[in-house]
Amino acid sequence: MNIKSAIFIKGVVGTDDIFEDGIPQIVLIGRSNVGKSSIINSLVNQKNLARTSSSPGRTQQINIFLINRAFYLVDLPGYGFAKMPEEVRHKIQKMIDWYLFNSGYNFKKVILIIDAKVGPTQDDMVMFYSLQNANKNIIIVANKIDKIKKSEYDEKLQKIKNAFNIYKIIPYSAEKKTGARELIAELLK
Ligand code: GTP
Ligand code: MG
Protein backbone atom coordinates (compact mmCIF):
# COMPACT_ATOMS: atom_id res chain seq x y z
CA MET A 1 0.00 0.00 0.00
CA ASN A 2 1.13 3.53 -0.70
CA ILE A 3 0.66 6.90 0.87
CA LYS A 4 -1.96 8.55 -1.27
CA SER A 5 -2.86 11.62 0.70
CA ALA A 6 -1.33 13.70 3.45
CA ILE A 7 -3.02 16.73 4.92
CA PHE A 8 -1.82 19.08 7.61
CA ILE A 9 -4.62 19.22 10.16
CA LYS A 10 -3.30 21.52 12.84
CA GLY A 11 -0.68 22.33 15.43
CA VAL A 12 -1.56 21.99 19.09
CA VAL A 13 0.27 22.66 22.32
CA GLY A 14 -1.80 20.58 24.69
CA THR A 15 -5.11 18.85 25.24
CA ASP A 16 -7.17 18.80 22.08
CA ASP A 17 -10.35 17.07 20.92
CA ILE A 18 -8.60 15.81 17.84
CA PHE A 19 -6.75 13.26 19.90
CA GLU A 20 -10.04 11.70 21.00
CA ASP A 21 -11.56 11.10 17.59
CA GLY A 22 -10.72 7.40 17.31
CA ILE A 23 -8.27 7.75 14.39
CA PRO A 24 -5.00 5.92 15.16
CA GLN A 25 -1.97 8.07 15.93
CA ILE A 26 1.61 7.28 15.00
CA VAL A 27 4.11 9.59 16.62
CA LEU A 28 7.68 10.56 15.75
CA ILE A 29 10.10 11.44 18.51
CA GLY A 30 13.85 12.09 18.68
CA ARG A 31 16.46 14.73 19.37
CA SER A 32 16.06 18.13 17.93
CA ASN A 33 17.44 18.25 14.38
CA VAL A 34 17.52 14.46 13.95
CA GLY A 35 15.13 14.77 11.00
CA LYS A 36 11.62 14.00 12.31
CA SER A 37 9.91 16.54 10.08
CA SER A 38 12.10 15.57 7.11
CA ILE A 39 11.11 11.92 7.57
CA ILE A 40 7.44 12.86 7.40
CA ASN A 41 8.09 14.73 4.16
CA SER A 42 10.01 11.79 2.71
CA LEU A 43 7.22 9.37 3.61
CA VAL A 44 4.51 11.42 1.96
CA ASN A 45 6.69 12.52 -0.96
CA GLN A 46 6.24 16.22 -0.36
CA LYS A 47 9.06 18.67 0.19
CA ASN A 48 7.46 21.05 2.64
CA LEU A 49 4.48 19.43 4.29
CA ALA A 50 6.26 19.45 7.64
CA ARG A 51 8.56 22.43 8.17
CA THR A 52 12.23 21.64 8.57
CA SER A 53 15.29 23.65 9.41
CA SER A 54 19.04 23.26 9.64
CA SER A 55 19.00 24.87 13.08
CA PRO A 56 17.59 22.77 15.92
CA GLY A 57 14.30 23.66 17.58
CA ARG A 58 12.27 24.18 14.42
CA THR A 59 9.15 22.32 15.58
CA GLN A 60 7.80 23.85 18.79
CA GLN A 61 4.31 22.45 18.81
CA ILE A 62 2.61 19.12 18.13
CA ASN A 63 1.85 19.04 14.41
CA ILE A 64 -0.75 16.61 13.18
CA PHE A 65 -0.98 15.21 9.66
CA LEU A 66 -3.77 12.98 8.39
CA ILE A 67 -2.44 10.22 6.13
CA ASN A 68 -4.65 8.34 3.64
CA ARG A 69 -7.57 9.57 5.73
CA ALA A 70 -6.72 6.55 7.89
CA PHE A 71 -4.17 7.56 10.55
CA TYR A 72 -2.39 10.57 11.97
CA LEU A 73 1.31 11.17 11.84
CA VAL A 74 2.17 13.26 14.86
CA ASP A 75 5.31 15.41 14.59
CA LEU A 76 6.62 16.26 18.04
CA PRO A 77 9.25 18.88 18.88
CA GLY A 78 12.68 17.43 19.54
CA TYR A 79 14.44 16.97 22.87
CA GLY A 80 18.00 17.60 23.97
CA PHE A 81 18.80 20.88 22.30
CA ALA A 82 21.12 22.58 24.77
CA LYS A 83 21.27 25.97 23.11
CA MET A 84 17.58 26.68 23.37
CA PRO A 85 16.60 29.19 26.06
CA GLU A 86 15.93 27.28 29.26
CA GLU A 87 12.31 28.42 29.39
CA VAL A 88 11.50 27.21 25.86
CA ARG A 89 13.33 23.94 26.42
CA HIS A 90 11.38 23.30 29.57
CA LYS A 91 8.09 24.05 27.84
CA ILE A 92 8.94 21.68 25.00
CA GLN A 93 10.07 18.89 27.32
CA LYS A 94 6.78 19.22 29.21
CA MET A 95 4.81 19.00 25.97
CA ILE A 96 6.67 15.85 24.88
CA ASP A 97 6.22 14.16 28.26
CA TRP A 98 2.58 15.13 28.40
CA TYR A 99 1.78 13.72 24.97
CA LEU A 100 3.79 10.52 25.35
CA PHE A 101 3.28 9.63 28.98
CA ASN A 102 0.54 11.62 30.69
CA SER A 103 -2.11 12.42 28.12
CA GLY A 104 -3.69 8.97 28.28
CA TYR A 105 -3.87 8.95 24.47
CA ASN A 106 -3.43 5.48 23.19
CA PHE A 107 -1.23 5.95 20.15
CA LYS A 108 -0.65 2.97 17.94
CA LYS A 109 3.09 3.24 17.39
CA VAL A 110 6.00 5.46 18.24
CA ILE A 111 8.91 5.95 15.87
CA LEU A 112 12.06 6.74 17.83
CA ILE A 113 14.55 8.40 15.51
CA ILE A 114 18.29 8.17 16.13
CA ASP A 115 21.02 10.01 14.26
CA ALA A 116 22.88 7.16 12.54
CA LYS A 117 26.13 9.08 12.41
CA VAL A 118 26.06 10.38 15.99
CA GLY A 119 24.73 7.10 17.38
CA PRO A 120 22.38 6.76 20.36
CA THR A 121 22.81 9.61 22.85
CA GLN A 122 22.06 9.49 26.54
CA ASP A 123 18.83 11.40 25.92
CA ASP A 124 17.88 8.82 23.29
CA MET A 125 18.42 5.99 25.74
CA VAL A 126 16.38 7.74 28.44
CA MET A 127 13.56 8.17 25.95
CA PHE A 128 13.84 4.56 24.82
CA TYR A 129 13.65 3.14 28.34
CA SER A 130 10.75 5.44 29.23
CA LEU A 131 8.82 4.28 26.17
CA GLN A 132 9.65 0.68 26.92
CA ASN A 133 8.52 1.04 30.54
CA ALA A 134 5.26 2.53 29.30
CA ASN A 135 4.78 -0.50 27.02
CA LYS A 136 4.75 1.51 23.84
CA ASN A 137 5.00 -0.12 20.45
CA ILE A 138 8.41 1.20 19.34
CA ILE A 139 10.00 1.36 15.89
CA ILE A 140 13.63 2.54 15.75
CA VAL A 141 14.74 4.51 12.72
CA ALA A 142 18.42 5.37 12.19
CA ASN A 143 18.25 8.52 10.06
CA LYS A 144 20.92 10.33 8.01
CA ILE A 145 22.69 7.16 6.86
CA ASP A 146 23.73 9.14 3.77
CA LYS A 147 26.16 11.00 6.04
CA ILE A 148 28.06 7.89 7.05
CA LYS A 149 31.17 6.86 5.16
CA LYS A 150 30.82 3.47 3.51
CA SER A 151 33.78 2.16 5.47
CA GLU A 152 32.08 3.06 8.77
CA TYR A 153 28.57 1.95 7.94
CA ASP A 154 28.66 -1.57 9.39
CA GLU A 155 30.27 -0.44 12.62
CA LYS A 156 27.84 2.45 13.17
CA LEU A 157 24.80 0.30 12.46
CA GLN A 158 26.05 -2.45 14.74
CA LYS A 159 26.50 0.06 17.55
CA ILE A 160 22.89 1.15 17.20
CA LYS A 161 21.68 -2.45 17.00
CA ASN A 162 23.56 -3.27 20.19
CA ALA A 163 22.01 -0.35 22.07
CA PHE A 164 18.46 -1.38 21.17
CA ASN A 165 19.17 -5.02 21.01
CA ILE A 166 15.74 -6.60 20.68
CA TYR A 167 14.33 -4.05 18.30
CA LYS A 168 14.32 -3.93 14.57
CA ILE A 169 16.29 -0.96 13.27
CA ILE A 170 15.34 0.67 9.99
CA PRO A 171 18.35 2.40 8.38
CA TYR A 172 17.00 5.56 6.82
CA SER A 173 17.84 8.66 4.86
CA ALA A 174 15.15 11.31 4.59
CA GLU A 175 17.44 13.06 2.13
CA LYS A 176 17.72 10.09 -0.24
CA LYS A 177 14.44 8.43 0.79
CA THR A 178 16.27 5.24 1.70
CA GLY A 179 14.16 2.99 3.90
CA ALA A 180 10.85 4.71 3.15
CA ARG A 181 9.20 1.58 1.76
CA GLU A 182 10.21 -0.45 4.77
CA LEU A 183 9.03 2.19 7.21
CA ILE A 184 5.69 2.63 5.43
CA ALA A 185 5.17 -1.12 5.59
CA GLU A 186 5.79 -1.02 9.36
CA LEU A 187 3.38 1.87 9.82
CA LEU A 188 0.61 0.18 7.92
CA LYS A 189 0.97 -3.13 9.76
P1 GTP B 1 13.20 19.82 15.28
O1 GTP B 1 11.90 20.18 14.67
O2 GTP B 1 14.08 20.97 15.58
O3 GTP B 1 13.06 18.90 16.45
O4 GTP B 1 14.07 19.00 14.18
P2 GTP B 1 13.62 17.77 13.27
O5 GTP B 1 13.97 16.50 13.97
O6 GTP B 1 12.22 17.90 12.80
O7 GTP B 1 14.65 17.91 12.05
P3 GTP B 1 14.39 18.47 10.57
O8 GTP B 1 13.51 17.53 9.81
O9 GTP B 1 13.97 19.89 10.65
O10 GTP B 1 15.85 18.31 9.94
C1 GTP B 1 16.96 18.95 10.53
C2 GTP B 1 18.08 19.09 9.49
O11 GTP B 1 18.60 17.81 9.14
C3 GTP B 1 17.63 19.74 8.18
O12 GTP B 1 18.67 20.59 7.71
C4 GTP B 1 17.45 18.54 7.25
O13 GTP B 1 17.64 18.88 5.89
C5 GTP B 1 18.55 17.61 7.74
N1 GTP B 1 18.23 16.19 7.47
C6 GTP B 1 17.10 15.54 7.84
N2 GTP B 1 17.15 14.25 7.43
C7 GTP B 1 18.34 14.09 6.78
C8 GTP B 1 18.98 12.98 6.13
O14 GTP B 1 18.49 11.85 6.04
N3 GTP B 1 20.22 13.23 5.62
C9 GTP B 1 20.84 14.43 5.69
N4 GTP B 1 22.04 14.56 5.16
N5 GTP B 1 20.25 15.50 6.28
C10 GTP B 1 19.03 15.33 6.83
MG1 MG C 1 10.75 19.22 13.31
Side-chain angles (χ1 to χ4, degrees):
M1 198 169 143
N2 278 324
I3 294 199
K4 298 189 193 96
S5 70
I7 307 161
F8 173 67
I9 302 293
K10 61 174 151 179
V12 303
V13 291
T15 318
D16 195 287
D17 290 346
I18 197 159
F19 291 126
E20 309 280 12
D21 63 5
I23 297 178
Q25 300 163 36
I26 297 174
V27 55
L28 293 93
I29 184 67
R31 352 191 323 265
S32 192
N33 214 237
V34 73
K36 298 173 292 299
S37 302
S38 302
I39 288 176
I40 292 187
N41 290 337
S42 69
L43 288 174
V44 303
N45 241 318
Q46 294 185 33
K47 269 211 154 95
N48 295 309
L49 182 71
R51 276 192 227 146
T52 65
S53 164
S54 55
S55 50
R58 168 72 252 193
T59 309
Q60 299 207 353
Q61 57 184 6
I62 303 172
N63 286 320
I64 305 165
F65 304 90
L66 180 62
I67 308 298
N68 288 0
R69 301 190 188 279
F71 63 92
Y72 292 124
L73 276 182
V74 180
D75 188 14
L76 287 183
Y79 52 76
F81 176 49
K83 284 186 194 136
M84 208 178 266
E86 178 59 34
E87 201 186 297
V88 180
R89 207 173 50 179
H90 183 72
K91 210 179 84 188
I92 283 180
Q93 191 59 52
K94 256 178 77 177
M95 209 190 305
I96 295 171
D97 287 343
W98 167 77
Y99 177 84
L100 290 176
F101 303 116
N102 300 318
S103 63
Y105 300 134
N106 190 17
F107 45 87
K108 191 178 161 210
K109 284 179 183 170
V110 51
I111 309 170
L112 176 59
I113 301 152
I114 306 297
D115 187 311
K117 192 167 177 205
V118 173
T121 65
Q122 198 177 348
D123 286 339
D124 292 333
M125 296 318 294
V126 168
M127 178 54 71
F128 175 66
Y129 292 126
S130 305
L131 291 168
Q132 218 179 20
N133 283 338
N135 280 318
K136 302 299 183 189
N137 191 345
I138 310 165
I139 301 170
I140 309 270
V141 167
N143 190 36
K144 306 197 184 183
I145 53 164
D146 59 286
K147 289 176 76 176
I148 306 178
K149 279 192 217 141
K150 234 181 164 175
S151 59
E152 290 174 357
Y153 184 87
D154 289 347
E155 187 200 331
K156 294 265 187 208
L157 260 286
Q158 193 56 49
K159 212 174 117 191
I160 299 171
K161 278 181 191 154
N162 291 345
F164 303 106
N165 122 26
I166 49 174
Y167 285 81
K168 184 178 174 178
I169 314 284
I170 303 182
Y172 204 92
S173 165
E175 182 105 347
K176 309 258 186 244
K177 296 197 178 151
T178 321
R181 277 177 74 121
E182 195 182 353
L183 182 53
I184 290 170
E186 280 295 320
L187 300 188
L188 298 175
K189 256 185 199 168

